[in-house]
Amino acid sequence: MSSNDQREQRAANLLAECLKIQGVDRIFCVPGESYLAFLDALVDAQTIELVTCRHEGGAGFMALTDAKITGRPGVVVVSRGPGATNASIAVHTAEQDAAPLVLLIGQIARADKGRGAFQEVDYGKMFSGIAKGVWEVNDPGKLPETIARAFNMAQSGTPGPVVVSLPEDMLHENVAADIVPAMPPAIAKPSNSDIEEVMSLLAKSSRPLVIAGGAVRYGQARDALRRAAETHELPVALSFKYQDVLDNDHASFAGYLGFKIPRPQVEALSEADLILAIGTRLTDVTTQNYQLPRAPVPSQPLVHVYPDPAVIGRVFQTACGLPVDPHAFLDLLASTPAAPLKERAEWRDGLHKRAMDLAVYEPRTAPDGIDFGALVHALAKRAEPDAVIVTDAGNFSSWVHRHWPWGRKSLMLGAVGGAMGMGVPGAVAAGLRFPQRQVLCFVGDGGALMTGNELATAVRHKVPVKIFVSNNGSYGTIRQHQEREYPDRGEGTSLTKPDFAKWAESLGAKGLSIDNESDIEDVVARALAEKGSVVVDVCSSVELISAYTTISKIHNL
Ligand SMILES: Cc1ncc(C[n+]2csc(CCOP(=O)(O)OP(=O)(O)O)c2C)c(N)n1
């Protein structure tokens, strides 16, 4: 504890100091009268930038994306009641995505609690099922301890969301309190005997498979994964929304475990005689509905490496469960030599070829619009190697997942939890962190009108995002499910088709349209050449409903 901060100051200013010591340099908000004192304190907190958004869902998604980029907690501050309920989508997504998020809420005055006051909510009850911790700070002297705890908990074990409720009158009070320094989360390192155990399983395996996930994407962990894969000739399949964890033209790349992966691909991977799940929680999407590996008892020995012991053994019986730092594990594995096995290289090469064949784009046409894959394919040829790719949730992303050439410098951002609305806000957050990199956002017409108004935030902050809207006049993903379950009865999934180019212009961005396939090359070149933000309205087909199938094929199944 440092005692030099023991001077009396307004609680709101103390809060700003506590955030600074945690390394916070950017906060996303929609303002509210419940935290005016904190807004005022930020005037003097010179190292914290405040980004004002158009909707708390957008602000929350920006903070969440910021966390995914930096690996540190993203911070969002909103008003009580309506502000907090709007922001709740980001809390849920942070929980699903294992991303550290700190939600600060301006709360009603302490004396009014329990009276059903204007916009009163009990946040402990509201967030109890999705946040890792919820605290209300009634005594301003407890602010430093509470903020330190919130940041530590958000990052520990399985990272996730925490909520701190700040009564309005408390923020105005004067208080003298020591700042509590940041404490990095405790994380266990693997021991030599851990590696020996894994090596003895590996020695017996001619068809091992690594499934690598989001906890491997930070710092030098990707590099360690690549080295470990090379040392042991391991094929590596990537978990849902983490296609950037290994460059896809690397000999070890064995495919991607997202939605709608063709059955033969999954069957080929299921031939593995050993699975090493590293830095992934092995969710239902990644495991192809608990089949790869099979739950609860896998068909092959499973090694599971994840920082949180509560994750290991929760769904899958493991032959070896290691609640340790995945990066340190990979470092150790990479530096432990092993004799080469001929069959293993053949197995790895076969999986790699399959994965690369699946990624090849075959042009398709339909009378009702463009194949969105043609746009993705054209853009991939022109995009910079270190472009940041942000995807919203929806079928349009199937082409991005299938055909984008993820390289060593790629960064992929999106909601693992499948929430619509993260695309445009996520792109804004990425543009703020990476002013020098191309930021490309893919979004459906559904998702674009959920949180797309954050384009105004991009324009205000001069963040040049390139947004490609698949405008198929449909909640296409749900339409695909309908056509399979209830053919030709598409109730509730048709949408009007707004002119997204005009919409963009009205918000101060450039608007372009692609109505014919022959426009694609030219419009893509113009969009990328544009200095500011651009929206490209792509008139896409419903018949070509995803990268893997068509409506006609679904009908003929
Ligand atoms: C916030 C939220 N609401 C609803 C859903 C259910 N949902 C998943 S995809 C989808 C449709 C997406 O439509 P669109 O953005 O137009 O993309 P498309 O599937 O047509 O490519 C819906 C409604 C969701 N995932 N998230």
Side-chain angles (χ1 to χ4, degrees), residues 96 105 121 186 280 365 381 432:
Q96 290 264 303
I105 303 171
V121 171
T280 169
T365 55
K381 284 187 292 180
L432 285 163

Side-chain angles (χ1 to χ4, degrees), residues 89 392-397 399 417-421 443-448 450 470 472 474-478 495 545:
I89 192 167
D392 205 271
N395 263 17
F396 63 87
S397 69
W399 287 275
M420 291 167 73
V443 61
D445 47 344
M450 282 193 175
S470 171
N472 60 0
S474 174
Y475 284 127
T477 314
I478 311 306
L495 299 169
I545 194 76

Side-chain angles (χ1 to χ4, degrees), residues 486-523:
Y486 303 102
D488 288 326
R489 290 169 65 84
E491 182 73 4
T493 48
S494 290
L495 299 169
T496 54
K497 285 182 103 168
D499 182 335
F500 284 100
K502 280 194 183 146
W503 169 74
E505 300 273 345
S506 78
L507 296 175
K510 177 88 182 160
L512 298 170
S513 302
I514 298 178
D515 295 320
N516 299 298
E517 206 160 321
S518 54
D519 303 338
I520 291 179
E521 291 291 340
D522 175 51
V523 174

Side-chain angles (χ1 to χ4, degrees), residues 190 195 198 276 278 305 322 324-334:
I195 292 294
V198 174
L276 299 112
I278 304 175
V305 183
L322 300 177
V324 300
D325 180 2
H327 181 181
F329 172 81
L330 286 166
D331 268 338
L332 213 50
L333 189 65

Side-chain angles (χ1 to χ4, degrees), residues 376-455:
V376 171
H377 183 61
L379 190 56
K381 284 187 292 180
R382 288 179 188 265
E384 287 167 9
D386 68 345
V388 181
I389 312 300
V390 190
T391 56
D392 205 271
N395 263 17
F396 63 87
S397 69
S398 62
W399 287 275
V400 186
H401 295 306
R402 182 168 177 184
H403 302 298
W404 195 266
W406 304 96
R408 202 177 269 221
K409 295 180 178 168
S410 296
L411 178 61
M412 174 184 216
L413 297 165
V416 181
M420 291 167 73
M422 185 148 158
V424 175
V428 180
L432 285 163
R433 274 293 157 210
F434 299 115
Q436 308 306 331
R437 283 167 80 169
Q438 241 176 19
V439 178
L440 310 177
C441 169
F442 296 97
V443 61
D445 47 344
L449 285 196
M450 282 193 175
T451 51
N453 285 338
E454 299 303 347
L455 176 59

Side-chain angles (χ1 to χ4, degrees), residues 88-117:
S88 62
I89 192 167
V91 177
H92 178 245
T93 306
E95 186 264 334
Q96 290 264 303
D97 289 29
L101 181 79
V102 177
L103 171 64
L104 304 174
I105 303 171
Q107 169 66 306
I108 60 164
R110 288 166 290 186
D112 295 338
K113 286 274 314 276
R115 291 174 164 169

Side-chain angles (χ1 to χ4, degrees), residues 287-408:
T287 60
Q288 307 294 297
N289 212 11
Y290 302 114
Q291 292 304 309
L292 179 65
R294 208 179 57 199
V297 183
S299 324
Q300 57 286 89
L302 171 66
V303 176
H304 198 174
V305 183
Y306 196 78
D308 186 351
V311 166
I312 295 169
R314 178 182 174 189
V315 181
F316 301 94
Q317 299 273 312
T318 58
C320 172
L322 300 177
V324 300
D325 180 2
H327 181 181
F329 172 81
L330 286 166
D331 268 338
L332 213 50
L333 189 65
S335 58
T336 308
L341 284 176
K342 186 163 174 295
E343 319 89 272
R344 201 183 281 175
E346 275 168 22
W347 153 251
R348 179 200 59 188
D349 295 346
L351 291 179
H352 179 64
K353 182 171 179 324
R354 251 180 189 286
M356 296 308 272
D357 287 350
L358 187 67
V360 172
Y361 174 67
E362 306 282 0
R364 301 182 301 178
T365 55
D368 67 331
I370 293 163
D371 181 17
F372 197 66
L375 175 277
V376 171
H377 183 61
L379 190 56
K381 284 187 292 180
R382 288 179 188 265
E384 287 167 9
D386 68 345
V388 181
I389 312 300
V390 190
T391 56
D392 205 271
N395 263 17
F396 63 87
S397 69
S398 62
W399 287 275
V400 186
H401 295 306
R402 182 168 177 184
H403 302 298
W404 195 266
W406 304 96
R408 202 177 269 221

